[in-house]
Amino acid sequence: MRVKTVPADAVTLMEVEHCGLKYRNPFMVGSGPTSKTVAQLVDAERCGWGASSIKLVIDPPPYINKEPRYRWFEKEQFHIFTSEKRLNLDEGLRLMEGGRKHTREIILLANITYSGPDAEGWVEMSRKFEAAGAHALELNMCCPNMSFNLDVAAEDGTRRPCSGASLGQHPEAVAHITKEVMKGVKIPVFVKLTGEGGSAPKVAKPTIATGCAGIGNGGTRLGVPPIDLYDLKKNLYGLQDEVSMGCYSGPWMRPLALRDVYEIRRTIGSEGTIVGFGGVHNWKTAAEMFLVGADFIGICTETMVRGFGFLPELIKGLKKYMKDTGFKDHRAMRDRLVREIVTADKVTIRDGLAVIDDEKCIGCRKCELPAHCYAITMEDRPAAELAAAKTQGKKLSRQVAKIEGADCCACNTCIDVCPVPECITLAKGEFHKAKHN
Ligand SMILES: Cc1cc2nc3c(=O)[nH]c(=O)nc-3n(C[C@H](O)[C@H](O)[C@H](O)COP(=O)(O)O)c2cc1C
């Protein structure tokens, strides 16, 4: 078995006890290409991960199961897969058995889908994974690359057994399957929902009411990937002939994933457990996930890009943040932001004005361009000012931006487009009182 080198300070504790299992920390390798082999499970354990959810196992054998095609767009911060290989039942069971044999501390979850019409199939699979040593189950109600892809894109209206992100949008069906599986096994049962259709909070409510171990907010999201604009038949993802939809993950999805976790937390209340997935890649993004309501965090894309070894650094950063801000542990962080988020009608908008520092302005005109604002104009600097600056050895631009106070609504955009730090700032004050009253 080929495992990779790991950092010496790999195992950093942040222990969690949940449903009778001890996790070294609340970080889980999200089910995917980095949890497909025993070597990967061993590597993840060596790098200190609390848990790993093995690659999706589908029974009966998956009807879409092709060699993987991935792209990582560093600049845009998204990962896409257009094609992916899943495990069949035998492969999955062997992986679980091997994983249990070669690891001691990492918690292993079986990520499973029964792609048939009845709950009994789910129960059968679950029992087999329990017997193979799975510490816990993760029912996959999230994959958008199976029937959901066909739901969205099939020209002939082809329908396949409803699974993954298609099934995951049906509250009654998900809750029913979860309940039946829980009756069939003793190990904890997690359910991984989908962000597709905005359905996760709605589905989470009856599902968590079954008493299951926890809810995951979602997996990848289906989207149209980049194409060659001069050859519309040509995709940009390597050895694949046709253009197809892609499954998006990684940092770009963070705001949407955080919203899903926040909304699920608000819907289910403070009792249920949430596994937050989507775009977590460093301590800051992990902190955000806890603050909006996650108990555990699942990470996939970052492990595909950087391997498993970044976790100790992430935990170190998180611990420093908790120390600096007085949070006793990550549980104390949980939900803190949920209480702070108000609805749009409740926000208090302060009056103010953008103020330009004449000396810093380089006359680039970027602040004058935004089409929603007519408050900024460029003016020539007086010749005397330019001459005085010259004698003092200062370099001033020929033009300078000026703000017409009455037209400035203090929206912020000029500050964000200005390339010079602190050149434009916002002054608080009742500048528009007359206008508003
Ligand atoms: C290539 C790839 C394959 C994936 N396969 C699975 C899978 O088999 N089962 C699953 O539940 N999620 C799967 N996921 C979803 C991830 O586990 C995770 O939920 C999602 O990518 C969002 O997290 P991230 O931004 O950290 O990647 C996959 C993701 C990627 C990128």
Side-chain angles (χ1 to χ4, degrees):
M1 183 196 328
R2 179 176 168 263
V3 292
K4 296 189 188 179
T5 327
V6 295
D9 63 343
V11 182
T12 319
L13 295 179
M14 222 175 133
E15 278 167 353
V16 182
E17 234 184 294
H18 180 258
C19 292
L21 294 172
K22 278 199 176 124
Y23 297 72
R24 290 183 294 177
N25 55 61
F27 293 96
M28 178 188 296
V29 177
S31 175
T34 57
S35 57
K36 251 178 143 164
T37 67
V38 174
Q40 288 170 322
L41 303 178
V42 171
D43 266 334
E45 173 166 85
R46 288 187 185 181
C47 289
W49 289 78
S52 178
S53 176
I54 68 165
K55 176 68 202 168
L56 171 61
V57 181
I58 308 189
D59 191 48
Y63 54 85
I64 306 177
N65 203 28
K66 299 172 193 256
E67 289 302 320
R69 290 294 175 265
Y70 307 144
R71 286 295 309 271
W72 164 240
F73 290 80
E74 169 84 31
K75 201 162 120 253
E76 292 84 354
Q77 290 283 289
F78 55 65
H79 184 278
I80 306 170
F81 78 81
T82 54
S83 175
E84 175 68 336
K85 194 123 182 118
R86 285 99 201 187
L87 303 177
N88 65 33
L89 185 57
D90 275 353
E91 291 166 335
L93 292 171
R94 264 188 279 127
L95 173 59
M96 184 54 77
E97 282 162 0
R100 285 305 312 273
K101 195 164 144 212
H102 289 92
T103 60
R104 284 190 315 132
E105 295 187 87
I106 193 166
I107 298 295
L108 298 182
L109 289 83
N111 185 275
I112 61 170
T113 283
Y114 176 69
S115 109
D118 56 296
E120 192 44 42
W122 285 88
V123 178
E124 277 298 300
M125 270 187 99
S126 302
R127 286 200 181 116
K128 286 178 183 160
F129 275 99
E130 182 175 46
H135 290 105
L137 298 169
E138 186 178 48
L139 309 185
N140 184 316
M141 305 286 179
C142 65
C143 181
N145 199 38
M146 300 183 293
S147 59
F148 187 69
N149 183 301
L150 299 181
D151 290 349
V152 172
E155 278 175 17
D156 56 359
T158 310
R159 289 288 177 273
R160 297 287 180 153
C162 180
S163 64
S166 314
L167 182 59
Q169 295 188 47
H170 296 284
E172 298 80 22
V174 174
H176 173 66
I177 291 165
T178 307
K179 212 185 295 171
E180 292 304 304
V181 169
M182 284 172 59
K183 278 196 253 160
V185 295
K186 293 196 175 62
I187 53 178
V189 179
F190 289 86
V191 183
K192 190 169 171 184
L193 300 177
T194 175
E196 297 291 355
S199 56
K202 215 169 50 220
V203 182
K205 196 161 189 193
T207 306
I208 208 78
T210 62
C212 70
I215 296 284
N217 59 299
T220 56
R221 299 289 298 271
L222 199 64
V224 176
I227 42 144
D228 182 336
L229 285 173
Y230 293 91
D231 180 358
L232 299 185
K233 285 188 181 304
K234 194 166 152 204
N235 66 60
L236 295 178
Y237 21 91
L239 298 178
Q240 171 179 325
D241 286 350
E242 300 79 10
V243 174
S244 69
M245 296 270 219
C247 298
Y248 279 69
S249 61
W252 79 273
M253 76 192 300
R254 213 173 92 248
L256 300 176
L258 290 171
R259 177 203 141 175
D260 282 342
V261 172
Y262 160 76
E263 222 183 320
I264 293 173
R265 175 57 70 206
R266 276 182 49 84
T267 309
I268 68 174
S270 63
E271 287 303 310
T273 295
I274 299 177
V275 187
F277 292 92
V280 174
H281 60 286
N282 55 22
W283 71 262
K284 285 185 187 158
T285 48
E288 288 170 350
M289 223 10 137
F290 288 127
L291 291 167
V292 295
D295 298 89
F296 289 88
I297 289 179
I299 305 178
C300 175
T301 300
E302 198 64 9
T303 64
M304 293 182 73
V305 177
R306 281 210 284 158
F308 299 114
F310 65 89
L311 185 71
E313 195 56 35
L314 183 156
I315 292 182
K316 209 162 115 195
L318 197 59
K319 284 189 167 173
K320 180 175 179 315
Y321 166 72
M322 291 192 286
K323 196 163 165 230
D324 291 350
T325 48
F327 286 117
K328 189 164 67 59
D329 54 29
H330 71 280
R331 291 175 209 84
M333 288 167 67
R334 206 199 78 172
D335 303 354
R336 267 301 281 113
L337 196 58
V338 177
R339 281 182 255 154
E340 304 299 336
I341 295 175
V342 299
T343 48
D345 58 329
K346 301 253 168 24
V347 296
T348 310
I349 300 298
R350 304 248 172 244
D351 196 2
L353 197 65
V355 178
I356 294 176
D357 182 331
D358 277 7
E359 289 210 358
K360 287 190 175 155
C361 178
I362 58 170
C364 69
R365 299 193 56 197
K366 288 199 169 139
C367 58
E368 191 200 8
L369 297 177
H372 63 278
C373 171
Y374 281 75
I376 299 182
T377 47
M378 301 306 291
E379 285 181 7
D380 289 338
R381 290 189 198 261
E385 189 188 337
L386 289 172
K390 204 170 175 189
T391 54
Q392 290 165 24
K394 279 195 230 155
K395 224 175 142 194
L396 283 183
S397 56
R398 203 178 49 77
Q399 286 205 311
V400 62
K402 293 284 172 199
I403 301 218
E404 176 47 61
D407 291 336
C408 168
C409 64
C411 69
N412 240 325
T413 306
C414 55
I415 296 174
D416 292 332
V417 298
C418 176
V420 182
E422 308 286 311
C423 175
I424 313 180
T425 48
L426 278 179
K428 265 192 218 159
E430 303 203 338
F431 299 99
H432 300 92
K433 203 168 180 189
K435 189 169 153 188
H436 292 317
N437 289 340

